[in-house]
Amino acid sequence: MESEKLEQVWRTVCDQVKSYNNIDPSQINAFFSRLQPQAMSEDFLMLTADNDFIKTWIERHYVDFIKQALMDLYHTAYTVVIEVDITAESSTGGQPRAETRAETPVQNPPFEGRPPFGHPSPGAPSSGDMRNSADAIGGRDERSPGEEPHRRREFAEPDSGRDDFPAPFNAYDDDDGGEGPDGPTSTLTFENFVIGDSNRMAYSMAVAVAEMPGKAHLNPLFIYGKSGLGKTHLMRAIQNYVHETMPSLSAIYVDSAELLSDYMEASAAHDKEKSSYKNFKTRYEEADVLLIDDVQYLQGKKQTLDIVFQIFNKLTGQGRQVVLSADRAPKNIDIDERYKSRFNSGGTFDIQPPEIETKLGIVKSFVEEYKDNEGKADFAIPDDIQMYIAESSSSNIRELKSAVTKVIYQMTFFNQPDLSLDDVRSLLENHFSGGPSKRLTIADIQKEVETFYKVSHADLVGKKRTRNIIYARQIAIYLSRQMLDLPFNDIGKKFNRDHSTVMYSVTNVEEKMKESRELREELEALKQLIREI
């Protein structure tokens, strides 16, 4: 079959699959964009995936749907074969090929990466397990989540003594989980990581490392971003994937605080011949994949850093994989320059605050997981309430999850299934961090900046490049980023600028603030005016 016709047939099959009940079209967009049709005959279809992870996932969860679509369209039983395109995998490091992405029927789906609803990921806890564990990821009691004070009387607070509260699926959480620092963590997988533009590159690189640990250009892999954006989820997903697909390899995850505590215990007697010290070092030196979380906490801990550096050099020198995470880039961690250089010597990728679309996707994923785990197929949170939660929450996904949990509790356990948007605003009025600033918009900030610097809105978002307009524009962009915690792309749309221009503006203001006390005071005055809106 000609290539162009084959592509058309494949698009038709994709559309047919998306039309089925219990299929989320955004999942099809996400996963099927990683497939390429290669050959088709009367009863045979061959597809290639760009890595083994995608091949396995499609075979587990979507092949039957593809066969059904072919039967419905052509009234013939088809054999569907999926192979890995080795050239694509090696050339992209596990990322989708550019040409495949270009052929995706719908670009930039709002969320990706979860298993289709009704198909739990391998090893995922049952609904009973989820109910018995107040937090499905970390095991901590979060049955009355979020900030408590000053709730309106008509909204009852969850009784922390009850043990039957549901624990909606936690797609993002930087808490660790599972069975200890080197145990399996089946709830944190690549399948249930919600992908968006803000984390797509970090996700792709984590998948590449999980599939082929020790590749020089990604060793070490360094992932950084603010707390609650999913760094630990990706690290645990790597560990989980290695445990599942390469059980002969040792994959050890450790948080820096735990690592520091272990080291202090092992070296308490300052005797490096003690068996406890040897056991401490040997455990990490024998890892095939070592994942160290929150390395910024090792600032000022010179002896621990020296040991970590020795272990780091030994493992990478032997071609074994090291993965590190922090809440900031290596260059911004206050450690010796040689550590920064080595930490930055492989692949360094950041996770930005999620876009509104991604946050909305996460909200939907929580709701769907609650429905699946509790067997409540008819349960629904109205779209306007879901959007309100996505728009009002900060970049921290724990806060978003907690808000969804509160709404679910109110609707189910306190028998208020018809909550209105106004009801939810009251319920969550003290929930979101940042208080009133979270109700601000970019338009509010633009208006105050325009008044403060005496420039028009048309000039602020237009093409004029006189010095005073550029200055006001960069200040407005900086404040939008700092006060609203929005992604660069979202800010850029409101200023008719692209992602790189917004990044430059923010960085430029930050650099000038270091040198100018006057600018710092000016910005504080502006922030105060904006907060008073």
Side-chain angles (χ1 to χ4, degrees), residues 398-414:
R398 297 190 201 99
E399 179 182 272
L400 183 150
K401 176 245 182 177
S402 181
V404 177
T405 302
K406 283 192 171 191
V407 172
I408 290 174
Y409 286 164
Q410 204 67 38
M411 295 176 70
T412 57
F413 285 85
F414 301 110

Side-chain angles (χ1 to χ4, degrees), residues 329-347:
K331 66 178 182 179
N332 295 325
I333 301 176
D334 187 16
I335 54 177
D336 190 277
E337 196 62 40
R338 61 182 175 141
Y339 299 137
K340 294 182 186 181
S341 176
R342 291 293 283 126
F343 288 173
N344 218 11
S345 61

Side-chain angles (χ1 to χ4, degrees), residues 96-386:
R97 292 169 296 170
E99 62 268 27
T100 304
R101 286 200 300 270
E103 292 156 1
T104 307
V106 179
Q107 294 294 326
N108 296 325
F111 67 108
E112 309 170 8
R114 288 184 61 252
F117 301 134
H119 293 273
S121 59
S126 67
S127 59
D129 294 335
M130 295 286 276
R131 286 192 298 270
N132 292 332
S133 171
D135 177 55
I137 305 300
R140 299 182 307 180
D141 188 352
E142 291 185 356
R143 289 173 294 191
S144 51
E147 291 72 17
E148 297 184 12
H150 306 108
R151 191 69 59 238
R152 291 183 186 270
R153 181 170 296 178
E154 63 265 31
F155 293 110
E157 282 293 310
D159 176 3
S160 61
R162 296 180 60 170
D163 62 0
D164 58 348
F165 284 147
F169 172 73
N170 191 353
Y172 273 137
D173 199 324
D174 274 2
D175 294 328
D176 58 9
E179 304 171 4
D182 54 356
T185 55
S186 60
T187 55
L188 294 170
T189 65
F190 290 119
E191 291 93 332
N192 60 35
F193 186 88
V194 182
I195 308 170
D197 290 340
S198 56
N199 58 31
R200 193 181 308 276
M201 183 61 76
Y203 169 85
S204 294
M205 295 303 99
V207 170
V209 162
E211 291 177 331
M212 296 186 66
K215 292 171 72 173
H217 68 288
L218 289 177
N219 198 11
L221 173 64
F222 195 107
I223 301 171
Y224 68 94
K226 290 183 179 180
S227 177
L229 298 186
K231 303 183 299 296
T232 300
H233 190 136
L234 286 179
M235 297 183 79
R236 287 293 202 176
I238 293 171
Q239 181 194 24
N240 190 62
Y241 187 90
V242 172
H243 276 312
E244 183 179 350
T245 62
M246 293 167 270
S248 62
L249 299 186
S250 169
I252 294 178
Y253 166 92
V254 64
D255 182 86
S256 292
E258 182 185 356
L259 181 68
L260 179 61
S261 176
D262 288 351
Y263 172 72
M264 291 175 68
E265 278 187 34
S267 58
H270 303 286
D271 180 0
K272 296 194 175 183
E273 296 304 314
K274 280 183 63 176
S275 60
S276 60
Y277 181 87
K278 288 183 178 179
N279 291 340
F280 162 79
K281 196 173 179 186
T282 300
R283 178 190 172 212
Y284 298 112
E285 287 182 338
E286 290 182 350
D288 296 294
V289 180
L290 178 61
L291 306 107
I292 305 177
D293 210 352
D294 290 322
V295 295
Q296 77 275 0
Y297 289 126
L298 297 180
Q299 291 180 141
K301 310 296 189 297
K302 185 178 184 306
Q303 289 181 316
T304 310
L305 264 171
D306 285 342
I307 295 298
V308 169
F309 196 51
Q310 292 172 28
I311 296 169
F312 175 99
N313 285 332
K314 182 171 182 177
L315 292 180
T316 55
Q318 294 174 348
R320 288 182 279 174
Q321 182 71 50
V322 175
V323 183
L324 307 168
S325 88
D327 64 1
R328 67 204 75 170
K331 66 178 182 179
N332 295 325
I333 301 176
D334 187 16
I335 54 177
D336 190 277
E337 196 62 40
R338 61 182 175 141
Y339 299 137
K340 294 182 186 181
S341 176
R342 291 293 283 126
F343 288 173
N344 218 11
S345 61
T348 301
F349 304 94
D350 70 325
I351 299 180
Q352 290 291 326
E355 314 84 354
I356 294 295
E357 292 85 354
T358 302
K359 288 197 285 186
L360 182 60
I362 295 168
V363 171
K364 291 180 182 297
S365 77
F366 291 154
V367 174
E368 291 298 333
E369 285 293 340
Y370 170 75
K371 289 165 61 175
D372 290 346
N373 292 328
E374 299 300 315
K376 296 183 177 181
D378 296 332
F379 178 82
I381 293 179
D383 290 344
D384 58 343
I385 293 176
Q386 292 191 31

Side-chain angles (χ1 to χ4, degrees), residues 455-514:
V455 300
S456 71
H457 181 70
D459 285 343
L460 190 76
V461 301
K463 296 183 178 180
K464 284 190 178 180
R465 295 188 54 79
T466 57
R467 180 174 296 182
N468 66 314
I469 292 173
I470 289 176
Y471 182 80
R473 185 183 297 139
Q474 290 187 350
I475 294 295
I477 288 172
Y478 168 79
L479 290 173
S480 297
R481 173 69 171 180
Q482 187 182 71
M483 299 186 75
L484 301 181
D485 204 14
L486 292 172
F488 294 129
N489 278 341
D490 288 7
I491 296 171
K493 291 173 185 175
K494 300 295 185 180
F495 287 86
N496 298 318
R497 261 67 187 174
D498 60 19
H499 174 275
S500 60
T501 302
V502 174
M503 284 185 65
Y504 171 78
S505 297
V506 172
T507 303
N508 193 37
V509 172
E510 288 175 342
E511 290 299 317
K512 288 179 178 176
M513 285 174 62
K514 295 176 183 177

